[in-house]
């Protein structure tokens, strides 16, 4: 058994090391279950296009380099954001890695109200309020886009 260290250079006892290893293995098993659940959600068409836009915009990722990094061809990522082409599972995982989120992030439904629909737009200091009046987010993929991609995953 290799020596593991605790707080401030204090070596862990064998029992503490075993407990930490068991906890780490449990976390890995939970991750596998979460990945399986996320995969089932992807197959069910639960990816939210707006989440893709949100993740890309938060990292200022634009252009054909994004398509390439996701294993897609231009203009696939634009079509993902528009809800007209559904990403494959592998593409979604690459997108998640690129934007530093989990694939499950893309399945989270947005809140019922967007900032432009609340008084939040009047609390901004400086800047133009016009940015709050953007077109509504794309929240669903077309059924045809989902069917075409998921059918190919069988």
């Amino acid at each position: 058994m290799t020596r593991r260290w605790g707080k401030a250079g204090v070596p862990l006892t064998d029992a503490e090391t075993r407990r930490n290893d068991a906890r780490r293995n449990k976390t890995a098993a939970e991750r596998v279950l979460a990945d399986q659940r996320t995969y089932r959600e992807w197959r069910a068409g639960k990816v939210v296009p707006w989440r893709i836009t949100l993740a890309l915009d938060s990292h200022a990722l634009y252009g054909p380099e994004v398509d390439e990094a996701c294993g897609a061809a231009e203009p696939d990522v634009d079509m993902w954001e528009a809800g007209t082409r559904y990403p494959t599972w592998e593409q979604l995982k690459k997108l998640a890695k690129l934007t530093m989120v989990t694939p499950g992030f893309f399945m989270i439904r947005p809140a019922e109200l967007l900032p432009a629909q609340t008084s939040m737009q009047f609390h901004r200091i400086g800047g133009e309020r016009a940015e709050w009046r953007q077109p509504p987010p794309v929240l669903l993929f077309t059924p045809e886009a989902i069917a075409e991609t998921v059918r190919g995953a069988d």
Side-chain angles (χ1 to χ4, degrees):
M1 183 179 282
T2 60
R3 175 58 62 195
R4 304 257 172 87
W5 297 92
K7 194 162 107 178
V10 176
L12 296 175
T13 66
D14 289 341
E16 290 170 324
T17 300
R18 281 191 300 277
R19 189 174 57 246
N20 286 351
D21 287 346
R23 191 177 305 134
R24 193 173 302 108
N25 289 339
K26 180 181 176 191
T27 303
E30 289 170 344
R31 238 185 340 265
V32 168
L33 288 174
D35 287 347
Q36 291 171 346
R37 184 176 51 250
T38 303
Y39 176 76
R40 285 191 306 273
E41 289 177 350
W42 167 83
R43 283 193 58 88
K46 303 277 185 176
V47 176
V48 179
W50 176 71
R51 284 286 187 182
I52 295 172
T53 302
L54 189 66
L56 292 171
D57 288 353
S58 70
H59 293 283
L61 295 169
Y62 310 99
E65 302 84 23
V66 175
D67 294 87
E68 187 177 321
C70 293
E74 172 109 290
D76 285 355
V77 174
D78 294 332
M79 294 171 77
W80 298 348
E81 292 182 86
T84 58
R85 179 176 296 241
Y86 199 66
T88 66
W89 176 243
E90 291 304 317
Q91 290 170 333
L92 192 69
K93 290 193 310 187
K94 288 179 181 183
L95 176 64
K97 184 175 182 181
L98 178 68
T99 57
M100 296 182 276
V101 298
T102 65
F105 171 83
F106 300 109
M107 306 331 166
I108 299 170
R109 306 294 313 160
E112 291 298 316
L113 291 176
L114 300 169
Q117 298 168 313
T118 69
S119 65
M120 190 173 180
Q121 61 183 315
F122 302 108
H123 296 276
R124 294 192 28 94
I125 298 172
E128 190 61 39
R129 286 195 194 124
E131 68 189 56
W132 290 95
R133 291 188 277 282
Q134 297 175 350
V138 179
L139 301 177
L140 298 170
F141 279 90
T142 64
E144 298 80 18
I146 296 167
E148 182 180 322
T149 299
V150 173
R151 184 178 34 247
D154 291 335

